[in-house]
Amino acid sequence: MEQHIYDWLLQGVFAAAAAFFLILMFVSAPYGKQEREGWGPGVNMRFGWFILELPSFACMLWFYWQGEHRLAAAPLLLFTLFEIHYFHRTFIYPLQLRVKPGARYRVILLLFGMVFNAANGALNGWFLSQLGTHLHNSSWLSDPRFIIGIMLFAGGFALAKQSDAILRNLRQPGESGYKIPYGGGYRFVSCPNYLGEILQWTGFAVAGWSLPALAFACFTAANLIPKALSSHRWYREHFGDYPPGRKAIIPFLL
Ligand SMILES: NC(=O)c1ccc[n+]([C@@H]2O[C@H](COP(=O)([O-])OP(=O)(O)OC[C@H]3O[C@@H](n4cnc5c(N)ncnc54)[C@H](OP(=O)(O)O)[C@@H]3O)[C@@H](O)[C@H]2O)c1
């Protein structure tokens, strides 16, 4: 990838994170509990998730394998973690969803998400196997940043997957309403799936000591913290018996 394109895309991801945070603090994204009219046409929810996440998986694969250091151990491990996450998100998660009848993924969200995911996959892939020279020496495998980052990624991944499974199991096949989730991270917060996702990408950024991964972690937090706050408000408004001590996304704090 040309350096000026890389620089331009990287600045774009940081700018998108800042813009999204400001917008989403005032306007909630129109899907799930905040689904509402007036946001244009939509596509089938499962298909929407599939084509939304595919560019991340594909662009990481393509750009990573262009890099000269694609067989070095640390980049290869980070590449594999990224691809495991996106393989699941693209090909498995959409099939597992218990979708409400008539639920649509808005085209406007989809288009932005696909462009963002393509840029994110490309930037991170190119950094891992080409630009991140500190990663290409095997000594990085014993660097504390790598070890702590991988542990954070693994913890976040486990929390996100457990929390998504708890949500999924709230609906029996054919059901479409909302219930209060209990157990796992839900003992502490309303959106442990979002907390897990933020921890995961923060860990990925620390393990790779990487600017594109930091930009993605910032974007994830900018996207999911406002969403957790609005989900938390929604639960409180709709369930009189909602657990009073539960926070939105950071246990005991927020
Ligand atoms: N990296 C990023 O920037 C980013 C951005 C967005 C999402 N994600 C990740 O993608 C995953 C899905 O995100 P999401 O925003 O769609 O999550 P979500 O709003 O929590 O919904 C996940 C699934 O659970 C269902 N659900 C949610 N609350 C429920 C309840 N109380 N009772 C019954 N069913 C319930 C939803 O149904 P409905 O669709 O009918 O509400 C949906 O099928 C999460 O793991 C999230 O971390 C990542």
Side-chain angles (χ1 to χ4, degrees), residues 23-24 26-31 34-43 104-110:
I23 294 169
L24 291 175
F26 299 101
V27 185
S28 56
Y31 72 93
Q34 282 80 29
E35 171 79 60
R36 55 200 185 272
E37 291 305 316
W39 286 82
V43 298
R104 315 296 284 167
Y105 209 115
R106 302 290 172 173
V107 171
I108 187 165
L109 295 184
L110 207 50

Side-chain angles (χ1 to χ4, degrees), residues 152-234:
L152 206 52
F153 181 93
F157 186 84
L159 177 63
K161 293 291 161 282
Q162 181 202 41
S163 311
D164 279 343
I166 290 175
L167 279 188
R168 193 161 53 241
N169 291 325
L170 288 174
R171 286 181 186 156
Q172 298 305 314
E175 272 188 344
S176 60
Y178 291 101
K179 298 174 188 167
I180 302 178
Y182 289 100
Y186 292 98
R187 280 176 287 162
F188 305 102
V189 293
S190 295
C191 298
N193 50 345
Y194 296 166
L195 174 61
E197 186 103 9
I198 293 169
L199 291 176
Q200 209 182 311
W201 297 119
T202 303
F204 189 81
V206 173
W209 212 241
S210 143
L211 267 183
L214 174 67
F216 183 39
C218 289
F219 180 83
T220 300
N223 194 0
L224 296 183
I225 290 173
K227 185 147 174 57
L229 294 173
S230 64
S231 256
H232 185 64
R233 264 195 313 274
W234 185 95

